[in-house]
Coordinates of all heavy atoms in Angstrom, one line a residue:
M30 N -36.7 16.5 -25.4 CA -36.3 15.6 -24.2 C -35.0 15.0 -24.5 O -34.7 14.6 -25.7 CB -37.4 14.5 -24.3 CG -37.2 13.5 -23.1 SD -38.4 12.2 -23.0 CE -39.7 13.0 -22.3
A31 N -34.3 14.9 -23.4 CA -32.9 14.3 -23.5 C -33.1 12.8 -23.8 O -34.1 12.1 -23.4 CB -32.1 14.4 -22.3
E32 N -32.3 12.2 -24.5 CA -32.2 10.8 -25.0 C -31.9 10.0 -23.9 O -30.8 10.2 -23.2 CB -31.5 10.7 -26.2 CG -31.9 11.4 -27.4 CD -32.9 10.6 -28.2 OE1 -32.8 9.3 -28.3 OE2 -33.7 11.1 -29.1
L33 N -32.5 8.9 -23.6 CA -32.1 7.9 -22.6 C -31.3 6.8 -23.3 O -31.5 6.5 -24.4 CB -33.2 7.1 -22.0 CG -34.1 7.9 -21.0 CD1 -35.3 7.2 -20.6 CD2 -33.2 8.3 -19.8
D34 N -30.1 6.6 -22.8 CA -29.1 5.5 -23.3 C -29.9 4.3 -23.3 O -30.5 3.9 -22.4 CB -27.9 5.6 -22.5 CG -26.8 4.7 -23.1 OD1 -27.1 3.8 -23.8 OD2 -25.7 4.9 -22.6
D35 N -29.7 3.5 -24.4 CA -30.4 2.2 -24.5 C -29.8 1.0 -23.7 O -30.4 0.1 -23.5 CB -30.5 1.8 -26.1 CG -31.5 2.7 -26.8 OD1 -32.4 3.2 -26.1 OD2 -31.5 2.6 -28.1
T36 N -28.4 1.3 -23.4 CA -27.8 0.0 -22.8 C -28.1 -0.2 -21.3 O -28.5 -1.2 -21.0 CB -26.2 0.3 -22.9 OG1 -25.9 0.5 -24.2 CG2 -25.5 -0.9 -22.4
P37 N -28.0 0.9 -20.5 CA -28.5 0.6 -19.1 C -30.0 0.3 -18.7 O -30.2 -0.4 -17.8 CB -28.0 1.8 -18.3 CG -27.1 2.7 -19.2 CD -27.5 2.3 -20.6
P38 N -30.8 0.9 -19.5 CA -32.3 0.8 -19.1 C -32.9 -0.6 -18.9 O -33.9 -0.8 -18.2 CB -33.1 1.5 -20.0 CG -32.1 2.5 -20.5 CD -30.9 1.8 -20.5
Q39 N -32.3 -1.6 -19.6 CA -32.9 -3.0 -19.4 C -32.8 -3.2 -18.0 O -31.9 -2.9 -17.4 CB -31.9 -3.8 -20.3 CG -32.6 -5.3 -20.7 CD -32.4 -6.2 -19.5 OE1 -31.7 -6.1 -18.5 NE2 -33.4 -7.2 -19.4
P40 N -33.9 -3.8 -17.4 CA -33.9 -4.0 -16.0 C -32.8 -4.6 -15.4 O -32.3 -4.2 -14.3 CB -35.2 -4.8 -15.8 CG -36.1 -4.4 -16.9 CD -35.1 -4.2 -18.1
L41 N -32.2 -5.7 -15.8 CA -31.1 -6.4 -15.3 C -29.9 -5.5 -15.3 O -29.1 -5.4 -14.4 CB -30.9 -7.8 -15.9 CG -29.8 -8.6 -15.2 CD1 -29.9 -8.7 -13.6 CD2 -29.7 -10.0 -15.8
R42 N -29.6 -4.9 -16.5 CA -28.4 -4.0 -16.6 C -28.5 -2.9 -15.7 O -27.5 -2.4 -15.1 CB -28.2 -3.7 -18.1 CG -27.8 -4.8 -19.0 CD -27.3 -4.3 -20.3 NE -28.3 -3.8 -21.2 CZ -28.9 -4.5 -22.1 NH1 -28.6 -5.7 -22.4 NH2 -29.8 -3.9 -22.9
L43 N -29.7 -2.4 -15.5 CA -30.0 -1.3 -14.6 C -29.6 -1.6 -13.2 O -29.0 -1.0 -12.3 CB -31.4 -0.7 -14.7 CG -31.6 0.6 -14.1 CD1 -30.8 1.7 -14.6 CD2 -33.2 1.0 -14.2
K44 N -30.0 -2.8 -12.8 CA -29.7 -3.5 -11.5 C -28.3 -3.6 -11.2 O -27.6 -3.2 -10.3 CB -30.4 -4.7 -11.1 CG -31.9 -4.8 -11.0 CD -32.5 -6.1 -10.8 CE -33.9 -6.2 -10.7 NZ -34.4 -7.6 -10.6
I45 N -27.6 -4.0 -12.3 CA -25.9 -4.3 -12.3 C -25.3 -2.8 -12.1 O -24.6 -2.7 -11.2 CB -25.6 -4.9 -13.6 CG1 -26.1 -6.4 -13.6 CG2 -24.0 -4.9 -13.5 CD1 -25.9 -7.0 -14.9
M46 N -25.8 -1.9 -12.9 CA -25.2 -0.7 -12.8 C -25.6 0.0 -11.5 O -24.6 0.8 -10.9 CB -25.5 0.3 -13.9 CG -25.1 -0.2 -15.3 SD -23.2 -0.5 -15.4 CE -22.6 1.2 -15.2
A47 N -26.7 -0.1 -11.0 CA -27.1 0.5 -9.6 C -26.2 0.0 -8.6 O -25.7 0.7 -7.7 CB -28.6 0.3 -9.4
A48 N -26.0 -1.4 -8.6 CA -25.2 -2.0 -7.5 C -23.8 -1.5 -7.6 O -23.2 -1.2 -6.6 CB -25.3 -3.5 -7.7
L49 N -23.3 -1.4 -8.8 CA -22.0 -1.0 -8.9 C -21.6 0.4 -8.6 O -20.6 0.8 -8.1 CB -21.2 -1.3 -10.4 CG -21.3 -2.9 -10.8 CD1 -20.9 -3.0 -12.2 CD2 -20.4 -3.6 -9.8
N50 N -22.7 1.3 -9.0 CA -22.5 2.7 -8.7 C -22.6 2.9 -7.2 O -22.4 4.1 -6.9 CB -23.5 3.4 -9.5 CG -23.1 3.9 -10.9 OD1 -22.2 4.8 -11.1 ND2 -23.3 2.9 -11.8
A51 N -23.2 2.2 -6.4 CA -23.3 2.3 -5.0 C -22.0 2.1 -4.3 O -21.9 2.5 -3.1 CB -24.4 1.3 -4.4
L52 N -21.0 1.5 -5.0 CA -19.8 1.2 -4.4 C -18.8 2.5 -4.8 O -19.0 3.2 -5.6 CB -19.1 0.0 -5.0 CG -19.9 -1.3 -4.8 CD1 -19.3 -2.3 -5.7 CD2 -19.9 -1.6 -3.5
P53 N -17.6 2.6 -3.9 CA -16.7 3.6 -4.3 C -16.1 3.3 -5.6 O -16.0 2.2 -6.1 CB -15.7 3.4 -3.2 CG -16.4 2.8 -2.2 CD -17.4 1.9 -2.8
V54 N -15.5 4.4 -6.2 CA -14.9 4.2 -7.5 C -13.8 3.1 -7.5 O -13.1 3.1 -6.5 CB -14.2 5.6 -8.1 CG1 -13.4 5.4 -9.3 CG2 -15.4 6.6 -8.2
S55 N -13.6 2.3 -8.5 CA -12.7 1.3 -8.6 C -13.0 0.1 -7.7 O -12.1 -0.8 -7.6 CB -11.3 1.8 -8.3 OG -10.9 2.9 -9.2
V56 N -14.1 0.1 -7.1 CA -14.4 -1.1 -6.4 C -15.4 -2.0 -7.1 O -16.4 -1.3 -7.5 CB -14.9 -0.8 -4.9 CG1 -15.4 -2.0 -4.1 CG2 -13.9 -0.1 -4.1
G57 N -15.2 -3.2 -7.2 CA -16.1 -4.0 -8.0 C -16.9 -5.0 -7.1 O -16.7 -5.2 -5.9
L58 N -17.7 -5.8 -7.8 CA -18.4 -6.9 -7.1 C -18.1 -8.2 -7.7 O -18.0 -8.2 -9.0 CB -19.9 -6.6 -7.2 CG -20.5 -5.6 -6.3 CD1 -21.9 -5.5 -6.5 CD2 -20.4 -6.0 -4.8
E59 N -18.0 -9.3 -7.0 CA -17.8 -10.7 -7.5 C -19.2 -11.1 -8.3 O -20.2 -10.7 -7.8 CB -17.5 -11.6 -6.4 CG -16.1 -11.3 -5.8 CD -15.8 -12.2 -4.6 OE1 -16.7 -13.2 -4.5 OE2 -14.9 -12.0 -3.9
F60 N -19.0 -11.8 -9.3 CA -20.0 -12.3 -10.1 C -21.2 -12.9 -9.1 O -22.3 -12.8 -9.3 CB -19.5 -13.3 -11.1 CG -20.6 -13.9 -12.0 CD1 -20.8 -13.2 -13.2 CD2 -21.4 -14.9 -11.7 CE1 -21.8 -13.7 -14.1 CE2 -22.3 -15.4 -12.6 CZ -22.5 -14.8 -13.8
S61 N -20.7 -13.8 -8.2 CA -21.7 -14.5 -7.3 C -22.4 -13.5 -6.5 O -23.6 -13.7 -6.2 CB -20.9 -15.4 -6.5 OG -19.9 -14.8 -5.6
R62 N -21.7 -12.4 -6.0 CA -22.6 -11.4 -5.3 C -23.6 -10.6 -6.2 O -24.6 -10.4 -5.8 CB -21.6 -10.4 -4.7 CG -22.2 -9.3 -3.8 CD -22.7 -9.8 -2.5 NE -23.2 -8.8 -1.8 CZ -24.5 -8.9 -1.1 NH1 -25.1 -9.9 -1.2 NH2 -24.9 -7.7 -0.6
L63 N -23.1 -10.4 -7.5 CA -23.9 -9.7 -8.4 C -25.3 -10.7 -8.6 O -26.4 -10.2 -8.8 CB -23.3 -9.4 -9.7 CG -22.6 -8.0 -9.8 CD1 -21.9 -7.9 -11.1 CD2 -23.8 -6.9 -9.7
K64 N -24.9 -11.8 -8.8 CA -26.0 -13.0 -9.0 C -27.0 -12.9 -7.9 O -28.3 -12.8 -8.2 CB -25.4 -14.3 -9.3 CG -26.4 -15.4 -9.6 CD -25.7 -16.8 -9.7 CE -26.6 -17.8 -9.8 NZ -26.0 -19.1 -9.8
K65 N -26.4 -12.8 -6.7 CA -27.5 -12.8 -5.5 C -28.3 -11.5 -5.5 O -29.5 -11.7 -5.2 CB -26.5 -13.0 -4.3 CG -27.4 -13.3 -3.1 CD -26.5 -13.7 -1.9 CE -27.3 -14.1 -0.7 NZ -26.5 -14.5 0.5
L66 N -27.7 -10.4 -5.7 CA -28.3 -9.1 -5.6 C -29.2 -9.0 -6.8 O -30.3 -8.4 -6.5 CB -27.2 -8.0 -5.9 CG -26.3 -7.7 -4.7 CD1 -25.3 -6.7 -5.1 CD2 -27.2 -7.2 -3.4
T67 N -29.1 -9.5 -7.9 CA -30.0 -9.3 -9.0 C -31.0 -10.4 -9.1 O -32.1 -10.2 -9.8 CB -29.2 -9.1 -10.3 OG1 -28.6 -10.4 -10.5 CG2 -28.3 -8.0 -10.4
G68 N -30.7 -11.7 -8.7 CA -31.6 -12.7 -8.8 C -31.6 -13.4 -10.2 O -32.4 -14.2 -10.6
A69 N -30.6 -13.1 -10.9 CA -30.3 -13.5 -12.3 C -29.7 -14.9 -12.4 O -29.0 -15.4 -11.3 CB -29.5 -12.6 -13.0
T70 N -29.8 -15.6 -13.3 CA -29.1 -17.0 -13.6 C -27.7 -16.5 -14.1 O -27.5 -15.5 -14.5 CB -29.8 -17.8 -14.7 OG1 -29.8 -17.0 -15.9 CG2 -31.4 -18.1 -14.3
D71 N -26.9 -17.7 -14.1 CA -25.4 -17.4 -14.5 C -25.5 -16.9 -15.9 O -24.7 -15.9 -16.2 CB -24.7 -18.7 -14.4 CG -24.4 -19.1 -12.9 OD1 -24.5 -18.2 -11.9 OD2 -23.9 -20.2 -12.8
G72 N -26.2 -17.5 -16.8 CA -26.0 -17.3 -18.2 C -26.6 -15.9 -18.6 O -26.0 -15.2 -19.3
N73 N -27.8 -15.6 -17.9 CA -28.4 -14.3 -18.1 C -27.5 -13.2 -17.6 O -27.3 -12.1 -18.2 CB -29.7 -14.3 -17.5 CG -30.7 -13.1 -18.0 OD1 -30.5 -12.5 -19.0 ND2 -31.8 -12.9 -17.3
L74 N -27.0 -13.3 -16.4 CA -26.1 -12.3 -15.8 C -24.9 -12.1 -16.6 O -24.4 -11.0 -17.0 CB -25.8 -12.7 -14.4 CG -24.9 -11.6 -13.6 CD1 -25.5 -10.3 -13.6 CD2 -24.5 -12.2 -12.2
G75 N -24.3 -13.2 -17.1 CA -23.1 -13.2 -18.0 C -23.3 -12.5 -19.3 O -22.5 -11.8 -19.7
A76 N -24.4 -12.8 -19.9 CA -24.8 -12.1 -21.2 C -24.8 -10.7 -20.9 O -24.4 -9.7 -21.8 CB -26.0 -12.7 -21.7
H77 N -25.5 -10.1 -19.9 CA -25.9 -8.7 -19.7 C -24.5 -8.1 -19.2 O -24.2 -6.9 -19.7 CB -26.8 -8.4 -18.5 CG -28.2 -8.7 -19.1 ND1 -28.8 -7.8 -20.0 CD2 -29.2 -9.7 -19.0 CE1 -30.0 -8.4 -20.5 NE2 -30.2 -9.6 -19.9
I78 N -23.6 -8.7 -18.5 CA -22.3 -8.2 -18.1 C -21.6 -7.9 -19.4 O -20.8 -6.9 -19.7 CB -21.6 -9.0 -17.1 CG1 -22.2 -8.8 -15.8 CG2 -20.2 -8.6 -17.0 CD1 -21.8 -9.9 -14.7
E79 N -21.6 -8.9 -20.3 CA -20.9 -8.8 -21.6 C -21.4 -7.6 -22.4 O -20.4 -6.9 -22.9 CB -20.9 -10.1 -22.3 CG -20.3 -10.1 -23.7 CD -20.3 -11.4 -24.5 OE1 -20.6 -12.4 -23.8 OE2 -20.3 -11.4 -25.6
T80 N -22.7 -7.4 -22.4 CA -23.2 -6.2 -23.2 C -22.7 -4.9 -22.5 O -22.4 -4.1 -23.2 CB -24.8 -6.2 -23.0 OG1 -25.2 -7.4 -23.9 CG2 -25.2 -5.0 -23.7
L81 N -22.6 -4.9 -21.2 CA -22.2 -3.6 -20.6 C -20.6 -3.4 -20.7 O -20.2 -2.2 -21.0 CB -22.5 -3.7 -19.0 CG -23.9 -3.6 -18.7 CD1 -24.1 -4.0 -17.1 CD2 -24.3 -2.2 -19.0
A82 N -19.9 -4.6 -20.8 CA -18.5 -4.5 -21.1 C -18.2 -4.0 -22.5 O -17.4 -3.2 -22.7 CB -17.8 -5.8 -20.9
K83 N -18.9 -4.5 -23.4 CA -18.8 -4.1 -24.8 C -19.0 -2.6 -25.0 O -18.4 -2.0 -25.8 CB -19.7 -4.9 -25.8 CG -19.1 -6.4 -26.0 CD -20.0 -7.1 -27.1 CE -19.5 -8.5 -27.2 NZ -20.4 -9.3 -28.0
A84 N -20.1 -2.1 -24.2 CA -20.3 -0.6 -24.3 C -19.3 0.1 -23.5 O -19.4 1.4 -23.7 CB -21.7 -0.3 -23.6
G85 N -18.5 -0.5 -22.8 CA -17.4 0.3 -22.0 C -17.8 0.8 -20.7 O -17.2 1.7 -20.0
Y86 N -19.0 0.2 -20.2 CA -19.6 0.6 -18.9 C -19.1 -0.2 -17.8 O -19.1 0.2 -16.7 CB -21.1 0.5 -18.9 CG -21.8 1.4 -19.9 CD1 -23.1 1.4 -20.2 CD2 -21.1 2.5 -20.6 CE1 -23.7 2.3 -21.0 CE2 -21.7 3.3 -21.4 CZ -23.1 3.3 -21.6 OH -23.6 4.2 -22.4
V87 N -18.6 -1.3 -18.0 CA -18.0 -2.2 -16.8 C -16.6 -2.7 -17.3 O -16.5 -3.0 -18.6 CB -18.9 -3.3 -16.4 CG1 -20.2 -2.7 -15.8 CG2 -19.2 -4.3 -17.4
S88 N -15.8 -3.0 -16.4 CA -14.6 -3.9 -16.7 C -14.7 -5.2 -15.9 O -15.4 -5.3 -14.9 CB -13.3 -3.1 -16.2 OG -13.4 -2.9 -14.8
V89 N -14.3 -6.2 -16.5 CA -14.4 -7.6 -16.0 C -13.0 -8.1 -15.8 O -12.2 -8.1 -16.7 CB -15.1 -8.4 -17.0 CG1 -15.4 -9.9 -16.3 CG2 -16.6 -7.9 -17.3
D90 N -12.8 -8.5 -14.5 CA -11.5 -9.0 -14.1 C -11.6 -10.5 -13.8 O -12.5 -10.7 -12.9 CB -10.8 -8.3 -13.0 CG -9.6 -8.8 -12.5 OD1 -8.6 -9.1 -13.4 OD2 -9.4 -9.2 -11.3
K91 N -11.1 -11.4 -14.5 CA -11.1 -12.8 -14.1 C -9.9 -13.4 -13.5 O -8.8 -13.1 -14.1 CB -11.4 -13.6 -15.4 CG -12.8 -13.3 -16.0 CD -13.2 -14.1 -17.3 CE -14.5 -13.6 -17.7 NZ -15.4 -14.8 -18.1
A92 N -9.9 -14.0 -12.4 CA -8.8 -14.5 -11.7 C -9.1 -15.9 -11.2 O -10.3 -16.3 -11.1 CB -8.3 -13.5 -10.6
F93 N -8.1 -16.3 -10.4 CA -8.3 -17.7 -9.7 C -8.0 -17.3 -8.2 O -7.0 -16.7 -7.9 CB -7.5 -18.8 -10.2 CG -8.1 -19.4 -11.6 CD1 -7.8 -18.9 -12.7 CD2 -8.9 -20.5 -11.4 CE1 -8.3 -19.6 -13.8 CE2 -9.5 -21.1 -12.5 CZ -9.2 -20.6 -13.7
V94 N -8.8 -17.8 -7.4 CA -8.5 -17.8 -6.0 C -8.5 -19.4 -5.4 O -9.5 -20.0 -5.6 CB -9.7 -17.1 -5.1 CG1 -9.6 -17.1 -3.7 CG2 -10.0 -15.7 -5.7
G95 N -7.3 -19.6 -5.3 CA -7.0 -21.1 -5.2 C -7.2 -21.7 -6.4 O -6.6 -21.3 -7.4
K96 N -8.1 -22.8 -6.5 CA -8.4 -23.4 -7.8 C -9.8 -22.9 -8.4 O -10.3 -23.5 -9.3 CB -8.5 -24.9 -7.6 CG -7.0 -25.5 -7.3 CD -7.1 -26.9 -7.2 CE -5.7 -27.4 -7.0 NZ -5.6 -28.9 -7.0
K97 N -10.3 -21.9 -7.7 CA -11.7 -21.5 -8.1 C -11.6 -20.3 -8.8 O -11.0 -19.3 -8.6 CB -12.6 -21.2 -6.9 CG -13.1 -22.4 -6.3 CD -14.1 -22.1 -5.1 CE -15.2 -23.1 -5.0 NZ -16.1 -22.7 -3.9
P98 N -12.4 -20.2 -10.1 CA -12.4 -18.9 -10.8 C -13.2 -17.9 -10.2 O -14.2 -18.1 -9.4 CB -13.1 -19.3 -12.2 CG -13.9 -20.6 -11.8 CD -13.0 -21.2 -10.7
Q99 N -12.8 -16.6 -10.3 CA -13.4 -15.6 -9.7 C -13.5 -14.3 -10.6 O -12.5 -14.0 -11.1 CB -12.7 -15.1 -8.2 CG -13.5 -14.0 -7.6 CD -12.8 -13.6 -6.3 OE1 -11.5 -13.6 -6.3 NE2 -13.5 -13.2 -5.4
T100 N -14.8 -13.9 -10.9 CA -14.9 -12.8 -12.0 C -15.4 -11.6 -11.0 O -16.4 -11.7 -10.3 CB -16.0 -13.2 -12.9 OG1 -15.5 -14.3 -13.6 CG2 -16.3 -12.0 -13.9
T101 N -14.7 -10.6 -11.2 CA -15.1 -9.4 -10.5 C -15.5 -8.3 -11.6 O -14.8 -8.1 -12.6 CB -14.0 -8.7 -9.7 OG1 -13.6 -9.7 -8.7 CG2 -14.4 -7.5 -8.9
V102 N -16.6 -7.5 -11.4 CA -17.1 -6.5 -12.3 C -17.1 -5.2 -11.6 O -17.5 -5.1 -10.6 CB -18.6 -7.0 -12.8 CG1 -19.0 -6.0 -13.6 CG2 -18.7 -8.3 -13.3
T103 N -16.6 -4.2 -12.4 CA -16.3 -2.9 -11.8 C -17.0 -1.8 -12.8 O -16.7 -2.0 -14.0 CB -14.9 -2.6 -11.5 OG1 -14.3 -3.6 -10.7 CG2 -14.7 -1.2 -10.8
A104 N -17.6 -0.9 -12.4 CA -18.1 0.2 -13.2 C -17.0 1.1 -13.6 O -16.1 1.4 -12.8 CB -19.2 1.0 -12.5
T105 N -16.9 1.5 -14.9 CA -15.9 2.2 -15.4 C -16.4 3.7 -15.3 O -17.5 4.0 -14.9 CB -15.6 2.0 -17.0 OG1 -16.8 2.2 -17.6 CG2 -15.3 0.5 -17.2
A106 N -15.4 4.7 -15.6 CA -15.8 6.0 -15.5 C -17.0 6.4 -16.4 O -18.0 7.1 -16.3 CB -14.7 6.9 -15.8
A107 N -16.9 5.8 -17.7 CA -17.9 5.9 -18.7 C -19.3 5.3 -18.3 O -20.4 5.8 -18.5 CB -17.5 5.2 -19.9
G108 N -19.1 4.1 -17.7 CA -20.5 3.5 -17.1 C -21.0 4.4 -15.9 O -22.3 4.5 -15.9
R109 N -20.2 4.9 -15.1 CA -20.8 5.8 -14.0 C -21.4 7.1 -14.5 O -22.3 7.5 -14.2 CB -19.6 6.1 -13.1 CG -19.1 4.9 -12.2 CD -18.2 5.4 -11.2 NE -17.8 4.1 -10.3 CZ -18.5 4.0 -9.2 NH1 -19.4 4.7 -8.7 NH2 -18.1 2.8 -8.5
G110 N -20.7 7.6 -15.7 CA -21.3 8.8 -16.3 C -22.7 8.4 -16.9 O -23.5 9.3 -16.7
A111 N -22.7 7.4 -17.6 CA -23.9 6.9 -18.3 C -25.0 6.7 -17.4 O -26.2 7.2 -17.5 CB -23.7 5.6 -19.2
F112 N -24.8 6.0 -16.2 CA -25.8 5.8 -15.2 C -26.2 7.1 -14.6 O -27.3 7.3 -14.4 CB -25.1 5.0 -14.1 CG -26.1 4.4 -13.1 CD1 -27.1 3.5 -13.3 CD2 -26.1 5.1 -11.8 CE1 -28.1 3.1 -12.4 CE2 -27.1 4.8 -10.8 CZ -28.1 3.8 -11.1
A113 N -25.2 8.0 -14.3 CA -25.6 9.3 -13.7 C -26.6 10.1 -14.7 O -27.5 10.7 -14.2 CB -24.3 10.2 -13.3
R114 N -26.2 10.1 -15.9 CA -27.0 10.9 -16.9 C -28.4 10.2 -16.9 O -29.4 10.9 -16.9 CB -26.4 10.9 -18.2 CG -25.2 11.7 -18.4 CD -24.6 12.0 -19.9 NE -24.3 10.7 -20.3 CZ -23.1 10.1 -20.2 NH1 -22.1 10.7 -19.5 NH2 -22.7 8.9 -20.8
H115 N -28.5 8.9 -16.9 CA -29.7 8.2 -17.0 C -30.7 8.5 -15.8 O -31.8 8.9 -15.9 CB -29.5 6.7 -17.0 CG -30.8 6.0 -17.3 ND1 -31.4 5.7 -18.5 CD2 -31.4 5.2 -16.2 CE1 -32.5 4.9 -18.2 NE2 -32.5 4.6 -17.0
V116 N -30.1 8.5 -14.7 CA -30.8 8.8 -13.4 C -31.2 10.3 -13.4 O -32.4 10.7 -13.1 CB -29.9 8.6 -12.1 CG1 -30.5 9.2 -10.9 CG2 -29.7 7.0 -12.0
A117 N -30.3 11.3 -13.8 CA -30.8 12.7 -14.0 C -31.8 12.8 -15.0 O -32.8 13.7 -14.6 CB -29.5 13.5 -14.4
T118 N -31.8 12.1 -16.1 CA -32.9 12.3 -17.0 C -34.2 11.8 -16.5 O -35.2 12.5 -16.6 CB -32.6 11.5 -18.5 OG1 -31.4 12.1 -18.9 CG2 -33.7 11.7 -19.3
L119 N -34.2 10.7 -15.8 CA -35.5 10.1 -15.1 C -36.0 11.1 -14.0 O -37.1 11.3 -14.0 CB -35.2 8.8 -14.5 CG -34.9 7.6 -15.5 CD1 -34.5 6.5 -14.6 CD2 -36.2 7.4 -16.4
Q120 N -35.0 11.7 -13.3 CA -35.5 12.8 -12.4 C -36.1 13.9 -12.9 O -37.0 14.4 -12.3 CB -34.2 13.1 -11.5 CG -33.7 12.0 -10.5 CD -32.4 12.4 -9.8 OE1 -31.6 13.2 -10.4 NE2 -32.3 11.8 -8.6
E121 N -35.5 14.3 -14.0 CA -36.2 15.6 -14.8 C -37.6 15.2 -15.3 O -38.5 15.9 -15.3 CB -35.3 15.8 -16.1 CG -34.0 16.6 -15.7 CD -33.1 16.9 -16.8 OE1 -33.6 16.7 -18.0 OE2 -32.0 17.4 -16.5
I122 N -37.8 13.9 -15.8 CA -39.1 13.4 -16.3 C -40.0 13.4 -15.1 O -41.2 13.9 -15.3 CB -38.9 12.1 -17.0 CG1 -38.0 12.2 -18.3 CG2 -40.3 11.5 -17.2 CD1 -37.7 10.8 -18.9
I123 N -39.6 12.8 -14.0 CA -40.5 12.8 -12.8 C -40.8 14.1 -12.4 O -42.0 14.4 -12.0 CB -39.7 11.9 -11.7 CG1 -39.7 10.4 -12.1 CG2 -40.5 12.1 -10.4 CD1 -38.7 9.6 -11.4
A124 N -40.0 15.0 -12.4 CA -40.2 16.4 -11.9 C -40.9 17.2 -13.0 O -41.5 18.3 -12.7 CB -38.8 17.1 -11.6
G125 N -41.4 16.7 -14.0 CA -42.0 17.4 -15.1 C -41.3 18.3 -15.8 O -41.9 19.4 -16.5
K126 N -40.0 18.4 -15.9 CA -39.3 19.3 -16.5 C -39.0 19.0 -18.0 O -38.6 19.9 -18.8 CB -37.8 19.4 -15.9 CG -37.7 20.0 -14.4 CD -36.5 20.2 -13.9 CE -36.6 20.7 -12.5 NZ -35.2 20.7 -11.9
Q127 N -39.4 17.8 -18.5 CA -39.2 17.5 -19.8 C -40.6 17.1 -20.4 O -41.3 16.2 -19.9 CB -38.2 16.3 -20.0 CG -36.9 16.8 -19.6 CD -35.9 15.9 -20.2 OE1 -36.1 15.0 -21.0 NE2 -34.6 16.1 -19.7
V128 N -41.0 17.7 -21.5 CA -42.3 17.5 -22.0 C -42.1 17.0 -23.5 O -41.4 17.5 -24.2 CB -43.3 18.5 -21.8 CG1 -44.6 18.0 -22.5 CG2 -43.5 18.8 -20.4

């Protein structure tokens, strides 16, 4: 059986990666939008984004819009690849191709 990557499968990280992978390449989501989509708290979402960033699956851009900080998270090529492999492995398991 193909190995599932341990980084994305955690439910919140999977939600983050699914949301980012639904976007065109190089397009990210603001932290506040990810928070609303996932239902996570600031601290929990931040910790999981940090884990994904350390794995090289997302890039994090911090900027200021006026006087307000704005964090944008974007899936990297490595993150998109890992997510696609994870989904493909799950599809194989569901189809009964892996025993």
Side-chain angles (χ1 to χ4, degrees):
M30 176 183 283
E32 297 269 333
L33 288 172
D34 186 339
D35 288 339
T36 303
Q39 195 286 338
L41 182 53
R42 289 194 289 261
L43 193 56
K44 286 180 186 179
I45 294 166
M46 292 306 296
L49 296 175
N50 275 273
L52 300 171
V54 174
S55 300
V56 175
L58 285 173
E59 293 175 11
F60 185 91
S61 59
R62 181 72 178 132
L63 270 174
K64 181 180 169 186
K65 189 173 187 177
L66 286 170
T67 62
T70 63
D71 286 347
N73 198 14
L74 182 59
H77 286 288
I78 288 171
E79 184 176 335
T80 298
L81 290 167
K83 285 181 181 177
Y86 290 172
V87 299
S88 63
V89 179
D90 179 48
K91 295 184 181 223
F93 280 89
V94 176
K96 293 184 179 184
K97 287 185 149 187
Q99 182 178 36
T100 300
T101 303
V102 182
T103 307
T105 63
R109 286 179 177 275
F112 183 78
R114 286 187 301 277
H115 184 75
V116 170
T118 300
L119 290 175
Q120 288 172 331
E121 288 177 7
I122 293 168
I123 291 167
K126 293 182 181 178
Q127 296 197 7
V128 180

